[in-house]
Amino acid sequence: MSYFDSACAAPLHPVARQALLASLDEGWADPARLYREGRRARMLLDAAREAAAEAVGCRADEVVFTPSGTRAVHTGVAGALAGRRRVGRHLIVSAVEHSSVLHSAEAFEADGGEVTRVAVNRAGAVDPRAYAAALRADTALACLQSANHEVGTVQPVAEVAEVCRAAGVPLLVDAAQSLGWGPVEGDWSLLAASAHKWGGPSGVGLLVVRKGVRFAAQGPLDERESGRAPGFENIPAIVAAVASLRAVRAEAAQEAVRLRALTERIRTRVPQLVPDVEVVGDAERRLPGIVTFSCLYVDGEALLHELDRAGFSVSSGSSCTSSTLTPSHVLKAMGVLSEGNVRVSLPAGVAEADVERFLEVLPDSVAGVREKLGAPAPATAVRARELVVDSLGKRCPIPVIELAKVIGDVPVGGTVRVLSDDEAARLDIPAWCEMRGQDYVGEEPADRGTAYVVRRVS
């Protein structure tokens, strides 16, 4: 079985395993106690904090360890907003942030705050000028991920940090996906990360709050971790997390070159091997191991099951794998195809032969799913200048498949009106039009659902 989902959770690094086992015997005691066992535990914790600070590029007393990366984000956002409450109650985030940031923003809105969500381009990147335009006199905090978790696009953090610093607004960076590859550049103010993204154990997050940033920890305060992460520290897991961070950093430069070559091979060959595929994300400014593509006329969940049976563990951001049955917010913000979405995130040390075997297996897997769903064959006869396709009650990609089947049945200049009540159609039909060179006219209200109007161009 080939595990290609390291962006979700990287396999435990051998160094992490060794450090975890070794520290179980020394790091079990309370580091706040003054007796021998407590002092040993404190030494391990302090050493881990110093090493983490060195890897991040900050002071040791700016680092706290949290029970998860999500908790680090929630604590960082809430504390920074509370600390600057007198300045105002305005928060800026990008439209493609991790759900932990977006959930924090939603909670802030529910409490009466105001949130500006900065749009991204089709590659998934923000424009620093958009952050500059969003800044206001009452802006308390801005958030920006260092790199996107779904498509791998690297964000212009240094440029946005400069804009925010000039306006006196702190910038919180979610560095979960990138910290294993190197420190985050720029004059940022707060940073959050998660150990299981770089091969450390799960249940360890990292929160950095620079000196001089106004910060008021929320909830009941504890004497541990500067009051920002209550509860007894999991010292063996923390030691293992930091040890693995140092280990992957030592290997990062060489491994990045190798993984970039493998992901570029996937980016290049997938469109050659599989028809009607859109490779998404920035082609240049991207993390080394992530490549994402979407396949027309394919149910994402069905394709993932096919690849799983073929021996590959991959993930998807498509609507078909979401418990909410809505498109990935990242793909939606980018305006790209969401159906049949596959994210391949290669772990460190992956064999080239496994990538080649994936490329061999993928075409038949996609073809099999398309055949089961009744993907369109070329249309021939022209019947009317406008056709209505009733796809109510059907989940994407079925509405898109039915559109593709009949687009050739109207003359050039004719229209097809697709009726759908699946939220994913709002993203997938315009994306299909762009891929197929047809004109997306827009959407109109209908008795049930929405009517999506497409004009045939060719």
Side-chain angles (χ1 to χ4, degrees):
M1 192 75 181
S2 297
Y3 180 75
F4 284 3
D5 195 22
S6 62
C8 177
L12 192 67
H13 195 283
V15 169
R17 185 183 301 276
Q18 295 168 6
L20 181 65
L21 294 175
S23 57
L24 284 173
D25 291 331
E26 296 291 331
W28 53 268
D30 186 346
R33 300 304 177 187
L34 300 180
Y35 42 70
R36 181 184 295 108
E37 294 84 357
R39 293 197 305 272
R40 289 174 180 170
R42 169 57 63 181
M43 289 176 62
L44 287 174
L45 183 59
D46 288 346
R49 202 183 310 277
E50 290 280 356
E54 181 182 0
V56 171
C58 65
R59 294 169 40 156
D61 58 357
E62 295 173 334
V63 177
V64 297
F65 297 106
T66 64
S68 68
T70 294
R71 175 53 60 190
V73 167
H74 291 173
T75 300
V77 172
L81 289 172
R84 286 173 50 83
R85 189 182 181 98
R86 290 185 179 180
V87 173
R89 304 210 66 204
H90 177 233
L91 169 66
I92 302 173
V93 301
S94 84
V96 294
E97 293 298 311
H98 187 269
S99 59
S100 60
V101 174
L102 298 183
H103 291 161
S104 292
E106 291 167 3
F108 181 59
E109 278 184 313
D111 192 40
E114 187 176 350
V115 178
T116 296
R117 294 168 176 82
V118 177
V120 297
N121 60 22
R122 280 187 67 85
V126 302
D127 186 337
R129 292 172 296 184
Y131 266 76
L135 289 166
R136 305 185 331 204
D138 63 342
T139 302
L141 177 68
C143 299
L144 179 64
Q145 58 190 191
S146 56
N148 187 259
H149 50 292
E150 287 192 25
V151 300
T153 296
V154 173
Q155 300 290 0
V157 171
E159 293 91 332
V160 172
E162 183 178 355
V163 166
C164 291
R165 179 67 65 178
V169 175
L171 177 69
L172 182 149
V173 178
D174 173 12
Q177 288 295 336
S178 73
L179 195 60
W181 296 107
V184 178
E185 297 181 355
D187 198 9
W188 46 266
S189 302
L190 302 97
L191 179 143
S194 186
H196 74 278
K197 301 292 187 180
W198 64 68
S202 59
V204 179
L206 195 68
L207 174 62
V208 178
V209 181
R210 297 279 202 189
K211 292 297 180 184
V213 176
R214 293 180 181 175
F215 191 93
Q218 299 301 286
L221 298 184
D222 197 342
E223 66 275 9
R224 301 177 187 275
E225 296 300 303
S226 304
R228 296 170 185 171
F232 200 106
E233 298 94 341
N234 186 345
I235 294 177
I238 290 171
V239 170
V242 177
S244 61
L245 178 58
R246 297 184 69 179
V248 298
R249 281 286 191 84
E251 306 158 353
Q254 183 175 356
E255 188 63 12
V257 172
R258 199 177 72 87
L259 289 185
R260 285 190 189 281
L262 292 177
T263 52
E264 184 58 33
R265 186 180 308 180
I266 297 173
R267 287 180 62 88
T268 301
R269 290 184 57 188
V270 165
Q272 297 172 350
L273 296 169
V274 182
D276 297 320
V277 164
E278 181 179 16
V279 180
V280 300
D282 196 292
E284 301 296 332
R285 288 178 56 89
R286 59 184 303 100
L287 291 175
I290 298 179
V291 56
T292 304
F293 55 89
S294 299
C295 307
L296 272 175
Y297 321 129
V298 168
D299 178 280
E301 185 174 8
L303 180 55
L304 263 57
H305 285 318
E306 286 292 326
L307 292 171
D308 183 52
R309 281 192 285 268
F312 292 94
S313 301
V314 299
S315 69
S316 172
S318 77
S319 58
C320 299
T321 60
S322 169
S323 60
T324 60
L325 302 181
T326 57
S328 152
H329 72 276
V330 172
L331 302 179
K332 186 175 183 179
M334 293 168 62
V336 298
L337 187 70
S338 74
E339 65 183 67
N341 178 259
V342 174
R343 180 187 68 183
V344 174
S345 48
L346 304 176
V350 63
E352 182 179 356
D354 288 342
V355 173
E356 283 298 321
R357 191 167 65 85
F358 173 78
L359 292 170
E360 293 174 3
V361 164
L362 181 66
D364 286 343
S365 298
V366 174
V369 174
R370 284 176 172 168
E371 183 178 2
K372 292 175 184 176
L373 291 175
T380 54
V382 174
R383 296 196 296 268
R385 288 198 61 82
E386 178 172 275
L387 293 176
V388 176
V389 174
D390 186 350
S391 291
L392 294 169
K394 300 175 182 177
R395 287 173 50 193
C396 278
I398 300 302
V400 179
I401 289 175
E402 293 181 342
L403 165 63
K405 283 182 176 180
V406 304
I407 191 69
D409 292 354
V410 298
V412 172
T415 58
V416 176
R417 191 177 302 270
V418 182
L419 302 178
S420 177
D421 51 8
D422 182 3
E423 176 65 21
R426 180 167 281 109
L427 175 63
D428 287 346
I429 290 177
W432 178 89
C433 290
E434 181 157 338
M435 287 185 68
R436 308 303 287 175
Q438 306 299 344
D439 180 23
Y440 177 63
V441 178
E443 60 181 74
E444 300 174 353
D447 292 339
R448 288 180 56 207
T450 303
Y452 300 92
V453 184
V454 177
R455 180 179 293 110
R456 182 181 176 188
V457 175
S458 59

